[in-house]
Amino acid sequence: MSAESSNYGRFKKHISKITDLGFAGAVLGWDQQVYMPKNGAAHRGQQLATLGTMAHELYVSPSFEKLVRELGDEVNLGDAERTNVALVKKDLERKKKYSPEFVEKMALTTSAAFGAWHEAKSKRDFSIFKPHLETIVAMKREEAEFLGYEEHAYDALVYDYEPGLTVKEIDRIFGALKENFFPFVKSAIANSKPDASFLSKEYPRAKQWEFSKRVIERMGYDFDSGRADDAPHPFCTTFAPKDVRITIRGNEREWAMMFFAAVHEAGHALYELGIPQAEHYGLPLGSAVSLAFHESQSRFWENTIARSLPFWKGRYSELQAIFPENLKEVPLETFYRGVNRVEPSFIRVEADELTYHAHIYIRYLTEKALISGELEVKDLPAFWNDLYEEYLGIRPSHDGEGCLQDVHWSYGSFGYFPTYSFGSFYAAQLHSAMKREIADFDGKVERAEFAPILDWLRTKVHTHGRRFTSDELLKRATGEGLNVGHFMEYARGKYGSEGA
Amino acid sequence: MSAESSNYGRFKKHISKITDLGFAGAVLGWDQQVYMPKNGAAHRGQQLATLGTMAHELYVSPSFEKLVRELGDEVNLGDAERTNVALVKKDLERKKKYSPEFVEKMALTTSAAFGAWHEAKSKRDFSIFKPHLETIVAMKREEAEFLGYEEHAYDALVYDYEPGLTVKEIDRIFGALKENFFPFVKSAIANSKPDASFLSKEYPRAKQWEFSKRVIERMGYDFDSGRADDAPHPFCTTFAPKDVRITIRGNEREWAMMFFAAVHEAGHALYELGIPQAEHYGLPLGSAVSLAFHESQSRFWENTIARSLPFWKGRYSELQAIFPENLKEVPLETFYRGVNRVEPSFIRVEADELTYHAHIYIRYLTEKALISGELEVKDLPAFWNDLYEEYLGIRPSHDGEGCLQDVHWSYGSFGYFPTYSFGSFYAAQLHSAMKREIADFDGKVERAEFAPILDWLRTKVHTHGRRFTSDELLKRATGEGLNVGHFMEYARGKYGSEGA
């Protein structure tokens, strides 16, 4: 045990301070999306920038660096302590490459860019966002250079979201998809023309929430350690080890949106709540391993579980009882096909689980080209639209449903998008392993007996924090490194002739 | 104009950072009261302590002190800039007396004390809170010593809430009350036995809010610059120059509580929104002059306006239309007397506007005795109960309705209570001046034409921030220093034989 006054105790206390600032920023960011009145916006960006730059300053302070160096040489640290120190040391080396000026400039640039993006999107006018994006892309290119990389500048940026993932690996995986999966999606689109009109009827918000809440509670989400608030976009955010909240969005004329988003965000929340964050507050062992793994948890619950036939075999009568006027006459099979219809669309967040990966591949190609310099911001809309035509056979009629639809670039996030797809790939691989190890898996899903499934995820994934790299973690959990075959098999089983 | 790179620009930027931390703390504090799930509590105290200690460290940093010293000698600063620098210099001298250890210890002590107080109050068991309060009182005595004072240790603590106010002045004012006002309150109690049963009926929350919202909007509270959320205790909190929120509490079986509290908190909010906070972000000219002045604003709107006969002459039919089943048969005069009934009670926050000052005087006597050492914490309950018997003729049957009722001491707040009474005294004096200067004042109140009244407050009070001391500000606004005669005249006019 390390006393408060030991080096490790001081190390923990310093990280704890930085973490407090980070969680405070999370509360402010949540409030900004959820409750902040219009005129609060004028100062919120600056307040968030202050919290962010102060956290950065604390992290890279010379006295902390010295402490971390000394701890690296200390011989009587326990296993967990050694891991925390080693990973912080690595993080510190990366963070030190950021000058305070760069951090502050990025915070202020993205704060202004966010407002411009919002306006540009609602006015469908790329020119409003263009100068901001140009500054951001220039800064991201600069960032990649000072961070350093072996093969591609883009690799340096992906690291923030999925450490170790590279252009080479993304190209390898998407190469396989281009060969075997994208053609399959085309045929699935052609074969999948289910009736889904019953999803677009009058669905009172409170009743939608009643069902959603019941399901996420059965998944294991505990409202003593979280809550759900309305927001324009669903997300999950952590304020403390046992305060992990989600946001939801209801559309009274459409059933699917709130439910699947709530399950998705609850999947993220269950991961956060399963990490030993109280014991390792803000430390690597108290943190998620990567964004792709985070996304594997949300997509597992959303797609693999809540869009599965066993799930609806068990739950559909409950849902029918809540909305008899809309669903009484709709048979289970029709409902199941309706919530799994496959069709090309412009908007990523509304895409089905197959075409979704074309949306991601397009974004990846765009980001890579922007960062490498092959593409300039002014040519972005045409580049984007051409890719939609090539991969989905549709061309956006304006940039609002095209390259302006996602918020990520306005935040300065480049390299984030691939993690969405990798999340699905990890989820499918975890699912394969789970089915081998958990007896009567589909029966359990049908009976909503989720405890053994959550236990499996807690034991194999959540509890480890960042102890292993995501590649190692996947190997330990499933017995092999990333094998996108599991995902393709899952897709074929569900959407191919044998599944449909 | 001062460029970013000028000394004044750097000064402003530094204060801005500290202010960002302060507002972040306000958001976390608000969330803690309003939305935080149960298990979030475990880390929120620590997170708030971190924000508080970091703000303190930034304030007392040697480089900032040097900058402030240099600015004090600068000759080409404008008037406003000079005032800001001079007041910050004074604040800094006071803040420097706090060691980082003391600040952190107080934050952690009060964080634990708050939980203990909460438990003690609900279990009506003083012994749970006693050891915490003993630590706090010892620390406050220590604090008074290192802050320094001329006559009474208590003076050093009152300064945080009402700079310049002293035991001598409080004793002078309450001396006058004891002579002329408290005896009058006794006769008012004896004479005031109105029927108020109509206030305790079924009043649906949403309808209560409909009326409350309508009134505070007419007062000038703008929901683009604020919002109202449910909380166990009503309060007002500022997150940015134009993001000032209130909380409300509804009781479905009682009408008066939500309405008067909403008006009270909106009064605080209007003050905050009237201060030039955007121009002087976190600087003295962008801050409220004192807590008593803050309270003068809330009490003015709550008592002087919203409990007045002219107000109800104008608004009562609106209220009757919302609650016809409860109020249709209740005449205006009966209603007016009902919402102004005077009776002794145990709970301060439920007290009428006359007996209220006995509650405050009791707390003042208790705090003064605790800080001077004349009273020890173990003897507090008996001391308190004796005073209730002496001044209100009633004796609490347990400490939950006695000395455990208020949260303040658990926060380490000593010297805060007197500002509540002084707020009423200021409000009455402002009201006298306003009636001289605003034509047809009562008619305007009756017609809910509040703009000229808010304008008067903005011009005479809000816009000055901390430019003047509260004594100077009162003199400029009303032509004289504090004269409690205005309050006594107001009370006699409303509750004496000529008013009743």
Side-chain angles (χ1 to χ4, degrees):
Chain A
M1 290 309 298
S2 56
E4 273 293 293
S5 60
S6 71
N7 269 348
Y8 191 78
R10 291 196 295 128
F11 166 82
K12 247 189 115 154
K13 195 170 174 190
H14 193 81
I15 288 287
S16 177
K17 264 195 166 184
I18 295 168
T19 307
D20 288 339
L21 290 176
F23 283 145
V27 178
L28 267 66
W30 166 84
D31 176 70
Q32 188 176 34
Q33 300 288 325
V34 176
Y35 291 116
M36 189 177 72
K38 190 168 146 250
N39 297 336
H43 289 80
R44 189 55 60 88
Q46 168 201 312
Q47 293 167 345
L48 284 165
T50 292
L51 293 171
T53 50
M54 289 195 66
H56 179 78
E57 282 165 21
L58 280 181
Y59 214 112
V60 300
S61 74
S63 61
F64 183 60
E65 193 185 352
K66 181 164 169 281
L67 181 63
V68 171
R69 212 168 37 231
E70 285 170 15
L71 274 167
D73 300 330
E74 214 159 281
V75 288
N76 41 18
L77 289 182
D79 221 39
E81 294 170 342
R82 237 195 332 268
T83 307
N84 279 328
V85 170
L87 290 170
V88 164
K89 199 172 172 202
K90 210 170 159 187
D91 292 348
L92 181 54
E93 275 155 25
R94 184 172 165 93
K95 281 187 204 288
K96 269 176 57 191
K97 296 179 179 168
Y98 289 85
S99 68
E101 294 71 32
F102 186 89
V103 172
E104 194 182 358
K105 187 179 168 195
M106 186 59 95
L108 295 173
T109 302
T110 54
S111 175
F114 175 74
W117 165 77
H118 203 274
E119 191 191 341
K121 183 182 176 179
S122 70
K123 293 187 177 161
R124 306 174 174 186
D125 182 354
F126 184 70
S127 71
I128 297 170
F129 184 45
K130 183 171 156 282
H132 297 271
L133 187 57
E134 280 170 340
T135 308
I136 289 174
V137 167
M139 288 183 75
K140 296 308 283 189
R141 288 175 186 165
E142 182 192 343
E143 185 178 343
E145 293 308 319
F146 69 64
L147 287 170
Y149 51 84
E150 286 183 18
E151 297 191 38
H152 291 271
Y154 190 71
D155 295 348
L157 304 179
V158 178
Y159 189 96
D160 265 340
Y161 310 104
E162 193 65 13
L165 188 61
T166 57
V167 163
K168 196 169 168 181
E169 174 71 357
I170 302 172
D171 283 343
R172 181 180 78 83
I173 297 293
F174 274 107
L177 291 190
K178 276 170 78 170
E179 198 165 317
N180 299 306
F181 177 70
F182 287 160
F184 168 74
V185 174
K186 278 206 176 136
S187 69
I189 291 169
N191 298 334
S192 164
K193 301 281 180 220
D195 172 25
S197 59
F198 53 87
L199 294 174
S200 306
K201 296 196 164 179
E202 207 62 39
Y203 283 96
R205 202 204 153 281
K207 287 184 167 186
Q208 288 192 40
W209 176 235
E210 179 192 335
F211 181 75
S212 305
K213 183 165 189 265
R214 204 186 293 168
V215 170
I216 66 178
E217 282 184 320
R218 292 192 78 156
M219 284 162 59
Y221 184 64
D222 168 11
F223 281 82
D224 278 344
S225 300
R227 51 178 288 122
D229 296 272
D230 285 312
H233 301 284
F235 61 94
C236 170
T237 180
T238 299
F239 298 164
K242 295 292 174 232
D243 183 358
V244 181
R245 308 192 191 178
I246 64 172
T247 65
I248 51 173
R249 179 171 67 140
N251 177 341
E252 300 246 324
R253 297 279 319 148
E254 209 276 315
W255 176 75
M257 186 191 294
M258 181 198 287
F259 174 69
F260 290 111
V263 170
H264 180 101
E265 301 308 334
H268 281 301
L270 288 175
Y271 183 16
E272 287 287 312
L273 291 164
I275 300 169
Q277 295 200 53
E279 195 184 340
H280 298 287
Y281 188 73
L283 289 162
L285 292 184
S287 307
V289 59
S290 74
L291 276 195
F293 248 106
H294 231 304
E295 202 68 16
S296 78
Q297 303 303 294
S298 54
R299 286 172 182 269
F300 171 79
W301 287 104
E302 178 194 351
N303 293 330
T304 321
I305 300 294
R307 287 191 204 267
S308 74
L309 191 54
F311 178 84
W312 288 112
K313 273 187 184 158
R315 299 279 76 68
Y316 187 51
S317 59
E318 269 182 51
L319 188 70
Q320 284 179 307
I322 296 178
F323 301 109
E325 61 292 356
N326 297 341
L327 298 177
K328 205 174 57 192
E329 307 298 329
V330 179
L332 169 65
E333 267 292 323
T334 309
F335 177 83
Y336 170 67
R337 282 162 190 274
V339 299
N340 282 295
R341 67 197 179 285
V342 183
E343 56 188 357
S345 63
F346 294 113
I347 305 299
R348 177 182 61 85
V349 295
E350 293 168 7
D352 58 84
E353 61 174 326
L354 298 191
T355 59
Y356 190 87
H357 300 286
H359 291 269
I360 295 303
Y361 189 50
I362 290 167
R363 282 155 181 75
Y364 162 66
L365 293 174
T366 308
E367 291 192 332
K368 194 171 59 160
L370 281 170
I371 297 303
S372 71
E374 289 157 68
L375 175 65
E376 290 307 326
V377 168
K378 68 175 169 46
D379 302 319
L380 168 55
F383 187 87
W384 176 284
N385 294 347
D386 289 348
L387 286 170
Y388 265 77
E389 213 159 326
E390 181 178 351
Y391 286 97
L392 285 162
I394 54 177
R395 192 171 185 92
S397 60
H398 58 79
D399 294 332
E401 64 179 18
C403 66
L404 286 172
Q405 69 183 267
D406 295 306
V407 69
H408 303 59
W409 295 335
S410 80
Y411 288 157
S413 284
F414 281 75
Y416 191 127
F417 286 118
T419 69
Y420 290 126
S421 281
F422 278 70
S424 288
F425 309 153
Y426 290 177
Q429 190 163 331
L430 294 168
H431 182 212
S432 297
M434 233 180 265
K435 286 181 87 160
R436 289 194 304 270
E437 295 177 18
I438 299 178
D440 189 23
F441 184 88
D442 285 348
K444 288 192 168 68
V445 171
E446 187 174 332
R447 293 184 302 274
E449 285 172 26
F450 296 130
I453 296 173
L454 181 59
D455 270 358
W456 193 95
L457 291 169
R458 293 240 146 117
T459 313
K460 301 278 186 175
V461 179
H462 305 181
T463 193
H464 300 296
R466 287 174 56 197
R467 180 182 293 274
F468 310 110
T469 64
S470 52
D471 188 53
E472 285 165 0
L473 190 61
L474 194 64
K475 276 186 191 137
R476 294 176 67 102
T478 69
E480 58 179 332
L482 177 57
N483 173 357
V484 76
H486 294 285
F487 173 71
M488 294 200 267
E489 195 183 311
Y490 161 79
R492 267 193 293 267
K494 186 165 175 181
Y495 296 93
S497 52
E498 64 270 46
Chain B
M1 290 309 296
S2 56
E4 274 291 294
S5 60
S6 70
N7 269 349
Y8 192 79
R10 291 195 296 127
F11 166 82
K12 249 189 115 155
K13 194 169 176 191
H14 193 81
I15 289 286
S16 177
K17 265 195 167 186
I18 295 168
T19 307
D20 288 339
L21 290 176
F23 284 145
V27 178
L28 266 67
W30 166 85
D31 176 70
Q32 186 177 36
Q33 300 289 324
V34 176
Y35 292 117
M36 189 177 73
K38 191 168 146 248
N39 297 335
H43 289 80
R44 189 53 61 88
Q46 170 201 308
Q47 293 167 345
L48 284 165
T50 292
L51 292 171
T53 51
M54 289 193 67
H56 180 77
E57 282 166 21
L58 280 181
Y59 213 111
V60 301
S61 74
S63 61
F64 183 60
E65 194 185 349
K66 183 167 167 279
L67 180 62
V68 171
R69 212 168 38 231
E70 284 170 16
L71 274 168
D73 300 330
E74 214 157 283
V75 288
N76 41 17
L77 290 182
D79 221 38
E81 295 170 343
R82 238 197 329 270
T83 306
N84 278 329
V85 171
L87 289 171
V88 164
K89 199 171 175 207
K90 210 169 160 189
D91 292 348
L92 182 53
E93 275 155 24
R94 185 171 165 93
K95 281 187 205 286
K96 270 175 57 192
K97 296 178 180 170
Y98 289 85
S99 69
E101 294 70 33
F102 186 89
V103 172
E104 193 181 0
K105 188 180 167 194
M106 186 59 96
L108 296 173
T109 302
T110 53
S111 174
F114 174 75
W117 165 77
H118 203 273
E119 190 190 342
K121 183 182 175 178
S122 70
K123 292 187 177 161
R124 305 173 173 187
D125 181 354
F126 184 71
S127 71
I128 298 170
F129 185 45
K130 183 171 157 281
H132 297 271
L133 186 58
E134 280 171 338
T135 309
I136 289 174
V137 167
M139 288 184 75
K140 296 308 284 189
R141 289 176 184 165
E142 182 192 342
E143 185 178 342
E145 292 308 318
F146 68 64
L147 287 171
Y149 50 86
E150 286 182 19
E151 296 192 37
H152 291 271
Y154 190 70
D155 295 348
L157 304 180
V158 178
Y159 188 96
D160 265 340
Y161 310 104
E162 193 65 12
L165 187 63
T166 58
V167 163
K168 196 170 168 182
E169 173 71 357
I170 302 171
D171 283 343
R172 181 181 77 85
I173 298 293
F174 274 106
L177 291 189
K178 276 170 78 170
E179 198 167 316
N180 299 307
F181 177 72
F182 288 161
F184 167 75
V185 174
K186 276 202 178 140
S187 69
I189 291 169
N191 299 332
S192 163
K193 302 278 181 220
D195 173 25
S197 59
F198 53 86
L199 293 174
S200 305
K201 294 197 164 177
E202 207 63 39
Y203 284 96
R205 200 201 155 285
K207 288 184 169 189
Q208 288 192 40
W209 175 235
E210 179 192 334
F211 181 75
S212 305
K213 184 166 187 266
R214 203 185 295 170
V215 169
I216 67 178
E217 282 184 321
R218 292 192 78 156
M219 284 163 58
Y221 184 63
D222 167 13
F223 280 82
D224 278 344
S225 300
R227 49 178 287 124
D229 296 273
D230 284 313
H233 302 283
F235 61 95
C236 169
T237 180
T238 299
F239 298 164
K242 295 293 172 230
D243 183 357
V244 181
R245 309 192 191 178
I246 65 171
T247 64
I248 52 173
R249 181 172 64 140
N251 178 341
E252 301 247 323
R253 297 279 316 146
E254 209 276 315
W255 176 75
M257 186 191 293
M258 182 199 284
F259 174 70
F260 290 111
V263 170
H264 180 101
E265 301 310 333
H268 281 302
L270 289 175
Y271 182 16
E272 287 288 312
L273 290 164
I275 299 169
Q277 295 201 54
E279 194 185 340
H280 297 287
Y281 188 74
L283 289 162
L285 292 185
S287 307
V289 59
S290 74
L291 275 194
F293 249 106
H294 231 305
E295 202 67 18
S296 78
Q297 303 303 294
S298 54
R299 284 170 186 269
F300 171 78
W301 287 105
E302 179 194 351
N303 294 330
T304 320
I305 300 293
R307 287 189 203 267
S308 74
L309 191 55
F311 178 84
W312 287 112
K313 273 186 187 159
R315 299 280 76 70
Y316 188 49
S317 59
E318 270 183 49
L319 188 69
Q320 282 179 309
I322 297 179
F323 301 109
E325 61 292 356
N326 297 341
L327 298 177
K328 204 174 57 191
E329 307 298 330
V330 179
L332 168 65
E333 268 291 323
T334 308
F335 178 83
Y336 169 68
R337 282 161 190 273
V339 298
N340 282 295
R341 68 197 178 284
V342 182
E343 56 189 355
S345 64
F346 294 113
I347 306 298
R348 177 183 60 84
V349 295
E350 293 167 9
D352 58 83
E353 61 174 326
L354 298 191
T355 60
Y356 190 86
H357 301 285
H359 291 268
I360 295 303
Y361 189 51
I362 290 166
R363 282 156 181 75
Y364 163 66
L365 293 174
T366 308
E367 289 192 334
K368 194 172 59 159
L370 281 170
I371 297 303
S372 71
E374 288 157 67
L375 174 64
E376 289 307 325
V377 168
K378 69 175 171 42
D379 302 318
L380 168 55
F383 187 86
W384 176 284
N385 293 346
D386 290 348
L387 285 170
Y388 264 78
E389 213 160 327
E390 181 178 349
Y391 286 96
L392 285 162
I394 54 176
R395 193 172 183 93
S397 61
H398 58 79
D399 294 333
E401 64 179 18
C403 66
L404 286 173
Q405 68 182 266
D406 295 305
V407 69
H408 303 60
W409 295 335
S410 80
Y411 288 157
S413 285
F414 281 75
Y416 191 127
F417 285 118
T419 69
Y420 290 125
S421 281
F422 278 69
S424 290
F425 309 153
Y426 291 178
Q429 190 163 330
L430 293 168
H431 182 213
S432 296
M434 232 180 266
K435 286 180 86 161
R436 288 195 303 270
E437 296 179 16
I438 299 178
D440 189 24
F441 184 89
D442 285 347
K444 289 192 167 69
V445 172
E446 187 174 331
R447 294 186 300 275
E449 285 172 26
F450 295 131
I453 297 173
L454 181 59
D455 269 358
W456 193 96
L457 290 169
R458 292 242 146 117
T459 312
K460 302 278 186 175
V461 178
H462 305 180
T463 193
H464 300 297
R466 288 174 57 197
R467 181 182 293 274
F468 310 110
T469 65
S470 51
D471 189 52
E472 285 164 1
L473 189 61
L474 194 64
K475 276 186 191 137
R476 294 178 67 102
T478 69
E480 59 179 331
L482 177 58
N483 173 357
V484 76
H486 294 284
F487 173 71
M488 293 200 269
E489 195 183 313
Y490 161 79
R492 265 192 296 266
K494 185 164 175 182
Y495 296 93
S497 52
E498 63 270 45

